[in-house]
Amino acid sequence: MKHTGSPDAALLDVTAPQRELLDQVLDKWSLQVLDQLCGRPLRFNELRRVIPDVGQKSLTATLRRLERNGMIERVVLAARPVAVEYRISPIGDSLNELVDALLQWTSTTLPHVEAARERYDGATDTEAARA
Amino acid sequence: MKHTGSPDAALLDVTAPQRELLDQVLDKWSLQVLDQLCGRPLRFNELRRVIPDVGQKSLTATLRRLERNGMIERVVLAARPVAVEYRISPIGDSLNELVDALLQWTSTTLPHVEAARERYDGATDTEAARA
DNA sequence: CCGTATCCAGACCGATACTG
DNA sequence: CAGTATCGGTCTGGATACGG
């Protein structure tokens, strides 16, 4: 668990393509869409139902962005009326593994984080109380 | 490279504490601050210099948030005028490892992503041209 | 040197209405 | 069903000025 040296700070620069990719793929809704799509494909309104509080607009934008970056595939089914199915791609699948690692990390560190928050909030509170 | 099943979809819900933690720690500036701080501590204005385009306000907010979540430590040095040093914590260090994995992922998949983008843009262009 | 306070333009996001 | 178009409020984030 020892981190040694940054790999390359330039990769994190806001203008770096790697950084832009992360931004387009790690946002609020993308993670949930990717997660829901792993395993089985889902339709547009199924996604709306299964992801709480997502609006049409946001979901559409998220799906388009993920499709453009090759994370998911949009499949138009021959049906009346139109039916569209979204399925995860191999690349999207590989991203999901990393997200799982991230999620695992949050779960194990959450107790420490909450302890840190209480310490911080307590300190700033008493500080404010003195003023 | 096979992803099998979501670990727990509920963890990704916007209201889930795990999800909130990720939001507070994976944003634009946080990643760069964390990356810069790994190895050696830095002062406030050193961070400003080394991270391109970050404003005082954003940097301050980022540092406070990271401190509150226990990712970094704020050390006030005995000096005139005031000198403050920020150093990474063990938790922040463990996060950096995951970020490195993410960065590695972006680097290896970037060619595929760019290919996907060209396909997508080309398809939507010709589609628009027909209209 | 290390911030906080304030103001303001622009992005974002939900609600709504409408189309193929 | 699966979107597109538009409008209005919110919230972010940069620029600026000032304080400890």
Side-chain angles (χ1 to χ4, degrees), chain A residues 57-102:
Chain A
K57 194 177 171 181
S58 302
L59 182 55
T60 303
T62 300
L63 290 170
R64 293 285 173 277
R65 196 172 342 110
L66 290 177
E67 187 195 358
R68 192 176 108 92
N69 287 300
M71 301 292 139
I72 62 175
E73 284 155 25
R74 179 175 182 274
V75 184
V76 180
L77 303 172
R80 304 286 326 252
V82 191
V84 177
E85 196 176 85
Y86 293 92
R87 51 181 67 234
I88 203 162
S89 76
I91 301 183
D93 200 64
S94 70
L95 175 59
N96 249 340
E97 292 181 43
L98 293 175
V99 174
D100 285 356
L102 238 28

Side-chain angles (χ1 to χ4, degrees), chain B residues 26-100:
Chain B
L26 287 185
D27 63 293
K28 193 164 90 159
W29 302 118
S30 291
L31 293 190
Q32 293 179 75
V33 169
L34 253 11
D35 185 65
Q36 289 294 341
L37 251 36
C38 86
R40 80 281 185 216
L42 287 175
R43 307 250 302 273
F44 186 83
N45 282 327
E46 288 177 321
L47 281 168
R48 280 194 77 180
R49 249 171 270 128
V50 89
I51 300 177
D53 303 328
V54 69
Q56 297 179 327
K57 190 177 171 180
S58 302
L59 182 54
T60 302
T62 301
L63 290 170
R64 293 285 174 278
R65 195 171 342 108
L66 289 177
E67 189 196 357
R68 191 175 109 92
N69 287 299
M71 300 292 140
I72 64 175
E73 284 154 26
R74 181 175 182 271
V75 183
V76 180
L77 304 172
R80 302 288 323 253
V82 192
V84 178
E85 198 176 82
Y86 294 92
R87 51 181 67 236
I88 202 163
S89 75
I91 302 183
D93 200 64
S94 70
L95 175 59
N96 248 339
E97 292 181 43
L98 294 175
V99 174
D100 285 355

